Amino acid sequence: MEKGVDSKPQTTGSRLCCVCNKRRPALKRPKTLDQICRECFYEAFEEEIHQVIVENQLFKPGERIAIGASGGKDSTVLAYVLSKLNRQHQYGLDLFLLSVDEGITGYRDDSLETVKRNEIQYGLPLKVVSYKDLYGWTMDEIVKVIGLKNNCTFCGVFRRQALDRGAALLKVDKVATGHNADDIAETVLLNILRGDIARLSRCTAITTGEDGPIPRCKPFKYTYEKEIVMYAYFKRLDYFSTECIYSPNAYRGFAREFIKDLERIRPRAILDIIKSGEDFRISTTTKMPEQGTCERCGYISSQKWCKACVLLDGLNRGLPKLGIGRSRAVNNDCKKDVKESNVTKSIESKQCGSLDF
């Protein structure tokens, strides 16, 4: 009788990978809940990303592509996988790593060391642009005057523009970012909660900014964060895993927790939220912002001044909260300080450290 009891776990333990039916499973895929071995997981993970790239025509042969590299798991896995797929499927791309140094002591300085190692490991040229050079401020200095409540607003606005300016310096055709399925599902929820119709209409697009200077694409749009972590862990990739010291109470964090709770109940929920975002139809009567260029720096903007210029003006005038919230009134106020100009310079003509601030 005891023999029979002992033999049951052996039968259960002999379960094989549901894909190859040869090797022992090493994990349960968060997206599909399949019991799968490492080798089949690598192949499935990479093939799904390849199919997303091909089906959405993200790249063309001969293009120069900048990979937004923070040193974290998403950008590190993106650099590794995109570099591998580029060789394996002969995409014919020139790949670069592009990093933004926000000036956060004990966080970004350490993560940039990881990116520098990735530069050597993957053989990809690295370009680093800094807030200090672009705006004359580091995030450490900004937090000293603004506090921890609205610092993410400054960082998000400055980083988006810094990526574009770095990409312009590299003369790339497109920027690839490591935004994953979890990130996009969070953004859909955030835009609904904020009532941000303009962003809601484009936040699920796999390629954005096609009407701007340099488009951005998200090869990880349908890739779960947990699977990215598993891939990085099993492949023993070199990445930085510490969260930003200034974002413990970021509004996005609450949406992230909600998404995680949904995923535990129903893993498919992440993809369903993305699908819902894709299927939203914005009423034709809804007034959408018209894109133009900033009178001060030439960056794309729907107002007279771009958000970065408004925020920076507030910092330099000792009024750091000037640009927080809706910017329409602020822009009207700022118009008094700006002479009308018929000519705006393109982003490509603006060099880092020589912006008209």
Side-chain angles (χ1 to χ4, degrees):
M1 194 69 182
E2 277 187 37
K3 248 184 180 176
V5 173
D6 292 336
S7 65
K8 280 187 179 179
Q10 293 174 5
T11 305
T12 306
S14 64
R15 184 182 299 162
L16 298 175
C17 168
C18 69
V19 177
C20 67
N21 206 32
K22 294 177 183 177
R23 293 176 288 264
R24 294 276 299 277
L27 69 146
K28 180 190 286 187
R29 286 196 70 181
K31 184 190 286 187
T32 62
L33 302 182
D34 289 338
Q35 297 280 351
I36 192 170
C37 67
R38 289 190 191 187
E39 290 75 8
C40 288
F41 171 61
Y42 298 153
E43 188 176 338
F45 184 88
E46 293 163 8
E47 181 59 23
E48 285 174 10
I49 295 165
H50 170 61
Q51 289 304 318
V52 167
I53 290 171
V54 172
E55 290 170 9
N56 293 277
Q57 300 178 337
L58 296 188
F59 310 118
K60 297 175 184 175
E63 283 188 329
R64 292 165 62 89
I65 305 297
I67 300 169
S70 66
K73 62 185 183 321
D74 299 315
S75 62
T76 299
V77 172
L78 179 61
Y80 177 87
V81 171
L82 199 51
S83 183
K84 181 177 181 179
L85 294 177
N86 189 36
R87 294 190 305 269
Q88 185 177 323
H89 296 285
Q90 300 179 338
Y91 292 162
L93 306 175
D94 288 327
L95 300 176
F96 302 85
L97 296 177
L98 174 58
S99 293
V100 177
D101 181 3
E102 300 95 337
I104 303 175
T105 306
Y107 170 66
R108 184 55 73 210
D109 47 357
D110 291 339
S111 71
L112 283 175
E113 290 304 312
T114 303
V115 178
K116 290 172 185 175
R117 292 195 297 272
N118 293 158
E119 175 188 17
I120 298 168
Q121 292 159 353
Y122 308 146
L124 301 177
L126 169 65
K127 175 69 180 175
V128 180
V129 293
S130 71
Y131 282 9
K132 191 67 175 176
D133 290 339
L134 288 172
Y135 311 115
W137 291 76
T138 65
M139 275 309 298
D140 284 342
E141 293 167 343
I142 291 171
V143 168
K144 282 181 182 177
V145 297
I146 195 67
L148 289 172
K149 188 175 180 182
N150 296 302
N151 57 292
C152 287
T153 298
F154 284 83
C155 196
V157 170
F158 287 166
R159 186 169 58 247
R160 280 192 294 274
Q161 190 178 118
L163 267 177
D164 280 341
R165 296 196 181 279
L169 290 173
L170 284 172
K171 293 180 168 58
V172 297
D173 301 290
K174 197 171 288 181
V175 175
T177 63
H179 292 96
N180 57 52
D182 300 54
D183 296 326
I184 296 170
E186 289 164 15
T187 305
V188 171
L189 286 180
L190 283 172
N191 288 330
I192 291 172
L193 293 172
R194 290 169 174 159
D196 196 331
I197 302 300
R199 285 195 175 91
L200 183 59
S201 65
R202 65 177 185 265
C203 69
T204 57
I206 197 165
T207 301
T208 56
E210 291 166 299
D211 56 343
I214 300 168
R216 297 187 191 186
C217 65
K218 311 180 190 81
F220 284 173
K221 177 180 175 180
Y222 301 108
T223 307
Y224 278 32
E225 183 178 50
K226 284 182 180 177
E227 297 202 352
I228 292 171
V229 172
M230 288 177 173
Y231 187 91
Y233 173 76
F234 286 130
K235 285 282 188 178
R236 299 182 184 277
L237 299 186
D238 183 5
Y239 68 93
F240 186 76
S241 58
T242 303
E243 290 292 324
C244 176
I245 59 175
Y246 293 142
S247 64
N249 299 314
Y251 189 38
R252 177 174 286 272
F254 298 104
R256 182 174 297 122
E257 287 303 311
F258 179 61
I259 293 289
K260 296 300 179 193
D261 289 341
L262 288 177
E263 185 187 11
R264 277 190 286 271
I265 300 168
R266 186 168 176 270
R268 180 80 193 177
I270 292 174
L271 294 179
D272 288 342
I273 292 172
I274 295 174
K275 183 68 168 61
S276 297
E278 291 171 338
D279 291 342
F280 275 126
R281 294 290 178 268
I282 307 303
S283 171
T284 54
T285 59
T286 302
K287 188 177 180 182
M288 302 295 280
E290 294 179 9
Q291 294 292 358
T293 52
C294 174
E295 289 185 349
R296 205 173 192 194
C297 71
Y299 189 71
I300 189 169
S301 174
S302 59
Q303 303 289 333
K304 293 290 185 180
W305 283 19
C306 70
K307 189 69 172 178
C309 282
V310 173
L311 292 173
L312 194 58
D313 182 62
L315 286 171
N316 292 333
R317 288 167 55 185
L319 301 168
K321 294 185 179 180
L322 183 69
I324 301 298
R326 301 292 180 183
S327 59
R328 186 177 300 276
V330 175
N331 272 281
N332 288 335
D333 179 61
C334 290
K335 280 194 293 183
K336 298 173 185 176
D337 301 327
V338 182
K339 291 181 180 180
E340 291 291 341
S341 175
N342 295 325
V343 181
T344 56
K345 296 181 180 179
S346 68
I347 185 173
E348 290 84 355
S349 67
K350 296 286 187 177
Q351 295 296 313
C352 284
S354 65
L355 305 185
D356 300 333
F357 292 137

